[in-house]
Amino acid sequence: MNCGQVQKKIDRWIDSRLGEAEADMLSKHLEGCPACAGEAESARVLKEFLVEGRPAPDLSPGFDAAFWGKIAARERRPRLRMLLDVFEDLVPFPSVPQLAGVLVAALFVGATGGAVSAGIAPFPIESKKSAVLYLSGFPHFKGVPQPSLAGTYIEAVSGENPS
Amino acid sequence: MIQDTSSDGSAEEDRMWISVFQEGEISVFGRIFDKYKSRVVNIAFRILREKSAAEDIAQDVFIKVYEKKYRFDPNARFSTWLYRVTVNASLDVLRKKKFFGPSLNSVLRRGGEKNSSPLEMLADPAPRSDEKMEKEELKILLQKEIDGLPEGLKIPLVLHQFEELSYQEISRILNISVKAVERRLYRARMRLRKVLRSRI
């Protein structure tokens, strides 16, 4: 068994989870290798520390009472608030990436150019034009090949041929 | 002794309780609370290292369980979901603390808590032998090192070494593979052993 193999098996050896044959080989290696023996010692001390650290502080005496007090307070919320909370439970909340995707799409999709073109587009807004045309600064989206995904998209939302 | 909550029998019991709770039997929630409260507080404590903050987190987690019961799929493993919510809530607080710094309240509270400050441990006036002092210093050093581990290494270590959760349970909680759990535990232990080697 070489040092690399010993390093990987030391934790299991300390936990007595190695088979007998492997454990013997590892022990023999440690007898002749001060570096690995040092590693084994530090693994043993670490395990001792982690085991000693297991007991966590007991719960505070008033923990239960404080919790049930909070539950009771929430039960006293106005009925409308409780109903809204229940409704929120039943309706799946979109994840952040989903929400971000919807917002980005809303900025760029739409017959009237979306939210962005309404606020910041420097060019005159004509009806039924895609916001992409305005944000790009070109009256026509030059360089977009007709038989392309981008071209198909622009044609679909704006009714214009981008090439 | 904290009940082993990762066994199939325990999962079946949880499934039954959650189903009954979702049907409106509020009294069952008390059993769920009693079964898991210590474990939830412990997990939060290992991450935050503050007992009062850990208890606040635990109460918020159970309030979430109480109020969002319909969101939980009773066929899923309840303990996994509960621990995941606890880990995420604790990490949120930890990240806010790192960003904003400790609040005045937490600094004032810390004065009344045991084992919360390395300096308090060192300042214990009881006479100690050199060996005990060295052991205490080593403990402080190791705990500091664990606190400084990146989240990705710290959480599996805390869950496995302190909470004795299995690799499978940890992989479900963190939504990573079992191999990934093994690798992270290995890397975390290697870092801690490096610190020990420099002291032994």
Side-chain angles (χ1 to χ4, degrees):
Chain A
M1 199 179 268
N2 61 41
C3 291
Q5 289 169 322
V6 165
Q7 299 286 330
K8 287 185 181 167
K9 293 180 197 294
I10 272 181
D11 287 321
R12 280 188 284 159
W13 179 69
I14 296 283
D15 290 343
S16 305
R17 288 190 290 128
L18 276 186
E20 203 176 316
E22 262 192 315
D24 278 343
M25 281 167 60
L26 196 145
S27 300
K28 282 196 175 73
H29 178 96
L30 293 181
E31 283 167 16
C33 180
C36 286
E39 192 66 35
E41 177 60 15
S42 58
R44 188 195 62 75
V45 171
L46 178 63
K47 184 185 171 181
E48 196 181 292
F49 165 78
L50 292 173
V51 167
E52 276 182 17
R54 275 196 191 138
D58 292 332
L59 293 179
S60 301
F63 178 80
D64 282 17
F67 171 70
W68 291 113
K70 284 182 182 176
I71 291 287
R74 293 182 83 84
E75 288 291 301
R76 290 193 293 269
R77 284 173 298 167
R79 282 204 173 272
L80 181 61
R81 180 71 230 166
M82 285 172 70
L83 277 171
L84 286 175
D85 287 344
V86 170
F87 181 71
E88 189 190 61
D89 285 343
L90 298 173
V91 174
F93 191 78
S95 68
V96 170
Q98 286 173 351
L99 204 56
V102 167
L103 284 174
V104 168
L107 290 175
F108 291 98
V109 176
T112 55
V116 173
S117 63
I120 67 170
F123 301 98
I125 297 174
E126 299 170 37
S127 63
K128 297 187 181 176
K129 289 266 175 91
S130 147
V132 173
L133 296 177
Y134 295 99
L135 290 176
S136 68
F138 295 99
H140 299 284
F141 199 70
K142 293 183 180 176
V144 174
Q146 169 60 21
S148 70
L149 203 61
T152 307
Y153 163 73
I154 290 172
E155 192 172 7
V157 300
S158 65
E160 289 189 351
N161 187 316
S163 57
Chain B
M1 183 176 162
I2 296 175
Q3 187 175 352
D4 173 19
T5 53
S6 59
S7 67
D8 286 340
S10 177
E12 198 49 50
E13 183 183 62
D14 292 344
R15 209 166 280 134
M16 188 186 68
W17 282 354
I18 291 293
S19 288
V20 171
F21 178 46
Q22 286 178 331
E23 284 165 13
E25 186 56 55
I26 304 297
S27 61
V28 168
F29 178 72
R31 292 192 200 180
I32 297 169
F33 175 72
D34 286 336
K35 181 176 176 182
Y36 284 104
K37 62 185 178 187
S38 293
R39 180 61 71 94
V40 169
V41 171
N42 288 351
I43 290 173
F45 174 74
R46 302 294 181 194
I47 296 170
L48 297 173
R49 304 299 300 161
E50 277 184 31
K51 183 177 162 184
S52 50
E55 289 185 350
D56 287 342
I57 290 280
Q59 289 177 357
D60 289 345
V61 166
F62 280 107
I63 287 174
K64 188 177 259 192
V65 171
Y66 185 81
E67 294 189 335
K68 312 283 182 193
K69 56 181 178 288
Y70 299 114
R71 286 218 195 161
F72 180 71
D73 175 6
N75 294 319
R77 194 178 275 257
F78 175 71
S79 60
T80 302
W81 177 81
L82 184 67
Y83 300 156
R84 186 185 299 143
V85 171
T86 306
V87 166
N88 289 340
S90 304
L91 287 177
D92 281 345
V93 171
L94 198 64
R95 285 167 194 155
K96 278 182 194 159
K97 271 170 70 172
K98 280 184 184 169
F99 189 77
F100 292 110
S103 69
L104 180 60
N105 281 344
S106 69
V107 171
L108 291 173
R109 269 203 301 265
R110 209 173 285 152
E113 290 177 7
K114 284 184 188 173
N115 298 331
S116 58
S117 160
L119 290 177
E120 282 171 0
M121 286 176 72
L122 281 175
D124 187 327
R128 293 184 176 184
S129 66
D130 286 346
E131 198 181 307
K132 275 192 177 174
M133 277 285 292
E134 195 165 317
K135 199 173 175 187
E136 285 294 329
E137 283 174 18
L138 203 53
K139 270 190 192 173
I140 291 168
L141 186 68
L142 275 174
Q143 187 56 63
K144 198 176 159 190
E145 198 61 32
I146 291 175
D147 290 344
L149 284 173
E151 284 171 15
L153 301 187
K154 182 175 166 184
I155 302 301
L157 184 78
V158 154
L159 294 179
H160 182 66
Q161 295 292 165
F162 292 117
E163 296 306 312
E164 300 177 78
L165 294 179
S166 67
Y167 287 12
Q168 284 76 17
E169 182 79 358
I170 296 171
S171 79
R172 283 194 287 258
I173 291 168
L174 301 180
N175 212 21
I176 56 178
S177 67
V178 170
K179 275 286 176 200
V181 173
E182 283 180 23
R183 274 197 301 270
R184 293 183 190 194
L185 279 172
Y186 176 73
R187 281 167 56 197
R189 287 192 198 116
M190 287 304 285
R191 280 174 73 143
L192 297 177
R193 292 214 301 252
K194 200 172 164 186
V195 166
L196 279 173
R197 274 203 311 276
S198 65
R199 291 292 297 252
I200 293 173

